[in-house]
Amino acid sequence: MARSSTWMLFGVALAGAVAVRTVACAGGDRPKLEPDQRLAVHAQHLCAIAKAGIAQPRTGVVRMLRYHGDHAPDMAAALAETLVLIERIPDDRAHDARARVARDRLRAPVVACEEPWQRFVDAVGKDPEAAAILERATTRLGRTFEIVFGHGQALGLDPRGWLAALE
């Protein structure tokens, strides 16, 4: 039953995304979002999942994990692209100004979602099944990091440290 309602919610969300994209594209070419803007959009999507997850924490945790599984590569790329974009600006004043723009763009959706996030976290904490799903996922991810990068080793920027961690 819960599985079919999850698929139904997914279908509704997909249909909505297609409709929004269709309407947006009908007006002509959309300007390409800068990487920090793309990351901010992901934060808005995660906020929507958190809001919906307040009433159904288990479903919220599952949706949150799926979202990260589907979008983590773009989120990581957007973060890296933001940093590269800023660091390629040769003028220090322009560099710092662009860094502040990125900070404000990334901070805005997080601040706007602070209260729903806290309510979602509280709801997950009160639902043992939701908390167990989240605990298993974070433990497993931590184990992945330990296996790939080594336990308690800081990689830093020295490639020799990366090689040592991979041995």
Side-chain angles (χ1 to χ4, degrees):
M1 179 74 173
R3 187 87 166 142
S4 65
S5 63
T6 300
W7 282 108
M8 185 173 75
L9 284 172
F10 174 75
V12 169
L14 182 61
V18 169
V20 167
R21 176 161 272 188
T22 302
V23 170
C25 290
D29 292 333
R30 291 182 314 179
K32 184 177 178 190
L33 293 178
E34 293 191 39
D36 50 340
Q37 291 172 313
R38 287 193 343 254
L39 201 50
V41 168
H42 285 297
Q44 292 169 342
H45 292 169
L46 290 167
C47 181
I49 293 170
K51 285 179 182 177
I54 294 167
Q56 296 182 326
R58 187 182 83 66
T59 302
V61 168
V62 169
R63 286 184 65 210
M64 190 74 61
L65 293 172
R66 283 187 185 149
Y67 188 90
H68 279 94
D70 292 343
H71 300 283
D74 184 54
M75 293 182 338
L79 177 59
E81 289 168 25
T82 298
L83 297 175
V84 169
L85 176 86
I86 293 166
E87 289 307 311
R88 285 187 174 163
I89 299 171
D91 177 73
D92 281 347
R93 283 187 183 194
H95 166 277
D96 293 356
R98 183 58 181 88
R100 284 189 284 277
V101 167
R103 176 200 59 207
D104 294 345
R105 285 178 175 170
L106 297 174
R107 186 180 289 170
V110 173
V111 169
C113 194
E114 193 171 357
E115 187 266 334
W117 268 112
Q118 187 57 55
R119 290 179 58 210
F120 177 60
V121 167
D122 291 344
V124 170
K126 293 175 184 174
D127 183 322
E129 189 177 352
I133 293 168
L134 183 59
E135 177 69 22
R136 181 180 188 289
T138 56
T139 300
R140 190 167 194 247
L141 180 61
R143 200 169 65 243
T144 302
F145 277 116
E146 285 181 13
I147 292 168
V148 172
F149 297 114
H151 182 69
Q153 297 177 357
L155 291 181
L157 295 176
D158 184 350
R160 294 171 296 184
W162 302 344
L163 294 174
L166 295 173
E167 290 178 350

